[in-house]
Amino acid sequence: MPALDAFDSFLFSLSRAFCSPFAVFVQIQGCLICLILAFGWACAAYVRNRQIKQMKDSMRHGNSFSFLCCDVNELEHSNQVNLPRVSVVMPLKGFGEHNLHNWRSQDEVEAKVLVAGLSTTCSQKIHNQLVGVDKMHKDTKYVLFLDDDVRLHPGSIGALTAEMEKNPDIFIQTGYPLDLPSGSLGSYCIYEYHMPCSMGFATGGKTFFLWGGCMMMHADDFRLDRYGVVSGLRDGGYSDDMTLAAIAGAHKRLITSPPVAVFPHPLASDLTFPRYWNYLRKQTFVLESYTTKVNWIMNRALFTTHCYLSWGFVAPYFMSMIHITAALRIYIKGYSLEETALTSGGLLLVCCLATCTAIELLSMWNLTRIEVQLCNMLSPEAPKLSLASYNWTLVFIAMVVDNFLYPVSAMRSHFSQSINWSGIRYHLRNGKIYKIERSKDKGPVFTDLGGKNLYGKKGAPPKASFLSSLARSMSQWHQPKKYDV
């Protein structure tokens, strides 16, 4: 046999090095990470599926409005007239089809459009939220903060309010999005990034997680600035959910996430990879903001753990590529095992990783399938969601890409202490915003993830104002509540 060429010699040496005890530990660790994720998604699927069974049981007992409430007696007029007022605060970046969809399924909505002005001491989103709270109705008992690209179900606000009424100790109720990838790699990276977090929101009750896209709270907490919720957000706050989660933890307040609080989130069809990167930068940047020393320690721990697990997940796939490439070179060149000194240990590790990855993807697929089914049941009037549009090859690629880039983004956020979001550059000092720079010539044109067909653009309904469109859209499904927006 001819002597090994330089490339093959290097490749086989690398493959042998990846069979060392430490390298084997790294690869086994990667397998364990896959299995832990699979187990977490299986538990989340169990909770969501239990809600589906409860709704089906209610339908079998004659409750055709189980998508609104599993107990049909709660829909009686005598119960509805006593329900509390809920104010919905939804900061808008333009007005799109998803905004309109939210209110097509709600009843008795009083809409009010406010111009919040520019923020000076906190992020623009937090500033908009606080202005909305300040102008809410005097009889408001609960306030719901909602992102403008979240798609509500007909019974969403009613379900959240009912839980708040049953348990006054609840500080915040939250939910989580079910991302619907548009086909681009960037959209699949967003979907993959959100999926591990979905475990913390599928508890069916108490949770430590909080998502700023859907948060229901007591209005008096803001009127009276209880626990410093207003001052904590206003004075240097960057992330609404991270700040409120820190306040809840410091004061031992209860955060819950009902199983029906999962919302379809169609991702933009033009969600390019740079837009995904900008979003990832924002997600890692929030870990640089904090309110207390304890909060800083927790963020550092989350920062370190996430970075370690991300690259601990990616490294075995790189090693597996080396093992597979080495095996192919042996087969193509006809090298003997004695000549390469390559054992079968590398391919055995590859097989273990492939098996664990298949289990992980199957568990992710099952949770997504169940959440799609739950969303279809909760919104029977909406176009049916389908799992057929998901490309699982791209899901796997997105898993590797996202976990590789997360530590890169986290390190950049840590050393820069600034970020450009929606054309606004925020600077942090001691965990709080201390400087805001605005420029019309800098920053990405699009920073949100959901697609929007803005009125006034091509193809939009002509001469239709926000309020008139909103009023015309109140239709068939009747939410048993009184709301103002």
Side-chain angles (χ1 to χ4, degrees):
M1 296 291 292
L4 298 177
D5 59 37
F7 172 76
D8 288 344
S9 179
F10 171 75
L11 183 65
F12 299 149
S13 298
L14 199 58
S15 182
R16 287 195 297 272
F18 288 161
C19 290
S20 67
F22 176 75
V24 170
F25 165 78
V26 171
Q27 292 170 86
I28 293 176
Q29 177 184 254
C31 293
L32 290 176
I33 292 174
C34 290
L35 294 178
I36 291 171
L37 288 171
F39 176 75
W41 286 324
C43 293
Y46 171 79
V47 173
R48 302 291 193 197
N49 196 45
R50 186 174 57 189
Q51 179 64 30
I52 291 175
K53 291 180 179 179
Q54 184 179 354
M55 293 175 64
K56 288 182 176 179
D57 288 341
S58 181
M59 292 173 64
R60 279 194 293 267
H61 287 86
N63 180 12
S64 57
F65 294 97
S66 61
F67 64 94
L68 293 176
C69 182
C70 285
D71 185 358
V72 70
N73 294 323
E74 294 184 12
L75 299 178
E76 294 289 341
H77 178 72
S78 58
N79 292 325
Q80 298 304 305
V81 294
N82 296 320
L83 288 172
R85 179 180 287 271
V86 177
S87 287
V88 180
V89 177
M90 186 171 65
L92 287 170
K93 292 181 290 185
F95 176 58
E97 178 62 25
H98 297 330
N99 312 134
L100 188 59
H101 176 277
N102 280 344
W103 311 115
R104 283 178 175 152
S105 58
Q106 314 302 318
D107 193 24
E108 299 184 51
V109 175
E110 301 171 15
K112 183 187 298 183
V113 178
L114 302 174
V115 179
L118 300 179
S119 63
T120 57
T121 62
C122 58
S123 69
Q124 187 63 47
K125 178 183 178 182
I126 288 178
H127 174 75
N128 295 348
Q129 290 172 328
L130 293 179
V131 169
V133 166
D134 186 60
K135 301 297 183 181
M136 65 185 172
H137 196 280
K138 61 182 179 62
D139 296 328
T140 293
K141 186 174 183 180
Y142 303 114
V143 57
L144 174 63
F145 297 104
L146 198 69
D147 278 358
D148 64 343
D149 56 355
V150 174
R151 286 178 53 180
L152 290 177
H153 304 294
S156 294
I157 302 179
L160 293 171
T161 307
E163 290 298 318
M164 297 289 280
E165 290 288 280
K166 291 176 184 176
N167 187 358
D169 291 333
I170 295 176
F171 179 53
I172 306 175
Q173 271 203 106
T174 188
Y176 207 60
L178 167 61
D179 289 324
L180 306 174
S182 58
S184 66
L185 179 58
S187 67
Y188 278 98
C189 286
I190 296 292
Y191 164 75
E192 189 282 328
Y193 176 83
H194 283 159
M195 283 302 290
C197 302
S198 65
M199 302 174 196
F201 293 87
T203 62
K206 182 178 179 181
T207 181
F208 298 102
F209 295 85
L210 185 59
W211 177 52
C214 175
M215 303 184 297
M216 178 173 279
M217 302 180 65
H218 294 269
D220 282 345
D221 287 346
F222 287 89
R223 292 191 181 103
L224 305 176
D225 194 17
R226 288 179 183 152
Y227 318 112
V229 293
V230 174
S231 54
L233 290 168
R234 180 192 59 217
D235 301 333
Y238 174 73
S239 171
D240 52 342
D241 47 13
M242 294 290 284
T243 301
L244 291 172
I247 292 173
H251 296 274
K252 296 180 171 57
R253 307 306 300 165
L254 179 62
I255 300 175
T256 65
S257 181
V260 295
V262 54
F263 308 105
H265 184 215
L267 297 173
S269 57
D270 58 346
L271 204 162
T272 59
F273 199 80
R275 286 176 66 184
Y276 151 72
W277 171 251
N278 192 51
Y279 175 78
L280 185 62
R281 282 275 289 113
K282 180 177 182 289
Q283 297 307 302
T284 56
F285 184 72
V286 299
L287 294 179
E288 301 302 317
S289 63
Y290 55 90
T291 57
T292 64
K293 184 67 174 180
V294 173
N295 186 212
W296 177 83
I297 293 173
M298 294 181 65
N299 283 2
R300 291 301 94 201
L302 183 58
F303 173 96
T304 305
T305 302
H306 200 157
C307 289
Y308 176 82
L309 292 177
S310 290
W311 276 357
F313 176 85
V314 171
Y317 290 102
F318 172 74
M319 295 179 178
S320 294
M321 287 179 60
I322 297 299
H323 290 314
I324 293 173
T325 305
L328 289 174
R329 292 295 294 176
I330 290 174
Y331 176 77
I332 294 172
K333 291 290 187 177
Y335 295 132
S336 66
L337 291 179
E338 293 78 9
E339 191 168 7
T340 61
L342 186 67
T343 67
S344 59
L347 292 180
L348 178 61
L349 291 169
V350 171
C351 292
C352 290
L353 182 61
T355 302
C356 293
T357 302
I359 295 172
E360 178 191 19
L361 288 172
L362 181 62
S363 183
M364 185 190 293
W365 169 85
N366 184 54
L367 174 58
T368 306
R369 177 186 64 85
I370 289 174
E371 289 187 338
V372 164
Q373 183 181 358
L374 179 58
C375 287
N376 285 334
M377 293 183 67
L378 291 170
S379 292
E381 87 294 353
K384 296 301 179 183
L385 307 179
S386 173
L387 202 64
S389 61
Y390 287 77
N391 184 325
W392 294 97
T393 300
L394 279 179
V395 170
F396 169 73
I397 295 173
M399 287 168 55
V400 177
V401 171
D402 181 66
N403 282 284
F404 173 77
L405 290 178
Y406 183 91
V408 178
S409 175
M411 291 296 179
R412 181 175 177 184
S413 296
H414 176 69
F415 288 107
S416 69
Q417 292 292 296
S418 68
I419 191 173
N420 191 320
W421 185 253
S422 295
I424 305 173
R425 181 163 292 278
Y426 299 99
H427 299 265
L428 293 181
R429 178 187 293 163
N430 297 324
K432 295 182 180 295
I433 291 175
Y434 80 96
K435 185 168 69 173
I436 301 175
E437 298 176 340
R438 291 181 172 86
S439 174
K440 295 181 179 180
D441 300 325
K442 295 181 181 180
V445 177
F446 300 103
T447 51
D448 55 321
L449 303 180
K452 290 183 179 180
N453 298 314
L454 300 182
Y455 286 101
K457 301 290 184 181
K458 183 179 179 180
K463 300 179 181 180
S465 68
F466 172 82
L467 291 178
S468 62
S469 299
L470 195 60
R472 287 200 308 270
S473 65
M474 296 300 105
S475 57
Q476 67 267 33
W477 299 117
H478 295 283
Q479 172 100 312
K481 306 215 49 73
K482 294 181 279 187
Y483 310 111
D484 55 24
V485 181

